[in-house]
Amino acid sequence: MTTSLDAAARRPVPRVARRSGNGQRWAEARAGGLLALPAALYFLMFWVVPFASAVYLSFTSYDFAGTPEWTGLDNYRRMLDDPGFWNSAQVTAVYTVASVVPSIVLALAIAVPLSKPGRYHAFLRALVMIPAAMPLVATSLTWSAIFADRGPANALVGLAGVEPQPWLTDEGLAIWALVIMTTWKHLGLFVIILTAGLQGLPLSVFEAAGLDGAGPLRIFYRITLPLLRRTLLFVLVIAVIGAMQSFVPAFLLTKGGPAGATEVLPLYMWATGFTFERMGYASAIAMVLLVAMLVLSFTQFRVLRGGDDQ
């Protein structure tokens, strides 16, 4: 039996009502597009266009004097026989591993106690964020003074009876000076991220493990680390990308010296493009660095998220 409500539901919507509804949706879409237009233009002008230009220039020979000349894969072939490129790649790899691993380990060691309730923990969390909040240029200049011949670093090692060290002019020490500065700079940010991740873990799991007799170390390795895997993945990815893109510390503290011992790839790329005016070759180096970061990020996602797919 057909009711009046069923008949009203099957009644066709007047054309005027459909037009007004379509007009309202079009007006909302147009308003949304206008609001998003500034951000879209910014993204286009400062991200898409420069990236597309760099990709094109990587296949050309360009020295700022004339128009780019298409050379195909010559810039990429040149890297295979370029000792400066391979030295910078090796320095970048050492710098990345040596700065990322201790930063994350120390951040996790600090974040675990800070994630628990404590009287002064909020103040301590704010305190460890001070290095991350400082401008990178100011931080680099400060550490340059610390590693000076008569700076605090040599005063500290002097207390242990060690002779003053040429931190920024010795081929073996310069890279470690950059590593110390980078670890200090990024430690606070990683502590805050890991603390937030730890505070979001379910307390019931830890309480159940404690009732079963699990000790603190067993709980940490068997429960805390697996549950914190996604947060650790995020910290690891941003730490690796940040280290591979690092330019300011090496530029301000050592200028890539001594003898190329701290010439990371971004610094070598900058010198190639703006000092030797080989912008095509510099763009090719940038593309290789980008691909390396993408591959490493993908690998980290596959390794650390492997257990989530099972």
Side-chain angles (χ1 to χ4, degrees):
M1 182 176 180
T2 303
T3 64
S4 59
L5 291 177
D6 294 334
R10 290 195 298 267
R11 188 178 303 165
V13 179
R15 185 174 302 177
V16 175
R18 289 200 301 267
R19 288 178 179 176
S20 61
N22 293 335
Q24 183 178 0
R25 286 193 294 269
W26 168 248
E28 292 175 353
R30 183 173 57 184
L34 290 175
L35 291 174
L37 184 60
L41 290 176
Y42 174 85
F43 180 75
L44 179 66
M45 293 176 60
F46 294 100
W47 290 91
V48 177
V49 173
F51 176 74
S53 300
V55 173
Y56 169 72
L57 290 176
S58 69
F59 296 101
T60 66
S61 175
Y62 181 50
D63 58 359
F64 295 109
T67 58
E69 179 183 351
W70 184 266
T71 58
L73 296 175
D74 287 353
N75 289 325
Y76 295 94
R77 296 191 189 100
R78 183 185 302 176
M79 290 183 205
L80 300 177
D81 301 321
D82 183 4
F85 170 79
W86 290 109
N87 172 73
S88 297
Q90 181 179 358
V91 170
T92 303
V94 172
Y95 173 74
T96 300
V97 174
S99 61
V100 167
V101 174
S103 296
I104 295 179
V105 172
L106 289 174
L108 188 59
I110 297 173
V112 170
L114 286 184
S115 63
K116 301 175 182 178
R119 184 175 182 181
Y120 300 106
H121 285 186
F123 170 75
L124 293 175
R125 285 193 291 267
L127 190 64
V128 298
M129 270 298 294
I130 292 177
M134 291 179 60
L136 184 55
V137 173
T139 301
S140 300
L141 294 177
T142 301
W143 279 93
S144 179
I146 291 175
F147 288 123
D149 292 339
R150 297 185 179 181
N154 279 329
L156 183 62
V157 298
L159 296 177
V162 180
E163 294 292 328
Q165 301 295 314
W167 293 95
L168 301 179
T169 57
D170 183 85
E171 292 185 27
L173 289 176
I175 188 66
W176 299 108
L178 295 182
V179 167
I180 292 172
M181 194 214 84
T182 303
T183 302
W184 181 85
K185 172 67 176 174
H186 295 157
L187 184 62
L189 176 62
F190 297 160
V191 167
I192 296 303
I193 296 174
L194 291 174
T195 300
L198 288 166
Q199 291 177 338
L201 300 181
L203 294 177
S204 58
V205 178
F206 297 95
E207 293 172 354
L211 292 175
D212 290 340
L217 290 179
R218 188 178 183 86
I219 291 176
F220 178 76
Y221 286 109
R222 294 298 183 89
I223 298 177
T224 303
L225 286 182
L227 291 178
L228 199 63
R229 182 169 52 200
R230 290 178 179 271
T231 306
L232 285 172
L233 170 63
F234 174 72
V235 172
L236 181 61
V237 169
I238 64 173
V240 170
I241 292 176
M244 294 183 70
Q245 290 181 328
S246 180
F247 170 81
V248 173
F251 179 76
L252 292 180
L253 268 68
T254 62
K255 297 293 190 296
T262 60
E263 191 172 38
V264 290
L265 267 178
L267 184 58
Y268 182 70
M269 175 182 64
W270 174 85
T272 300
F274 294 98
T275 301
F276 302 105
E277 297 185 354
R278 293 185 294 175
M279 186 57 67
Y281 187 42
S283 299
I285 295 174
M287 293 300 105
V288 171
L289 182 61
L290 173 63
V291 171
M293 288 189 293
L294 291 175
V295 170
L296 283 175
S297 299
F298 177 76
T299 303
Q300 293 167 40
F301 271 96
R302 293 290 297 177
V303 172
L304 290 181
R305 294 192 63 184
D308 297 339
D309 300 331
Q310 297 176 357

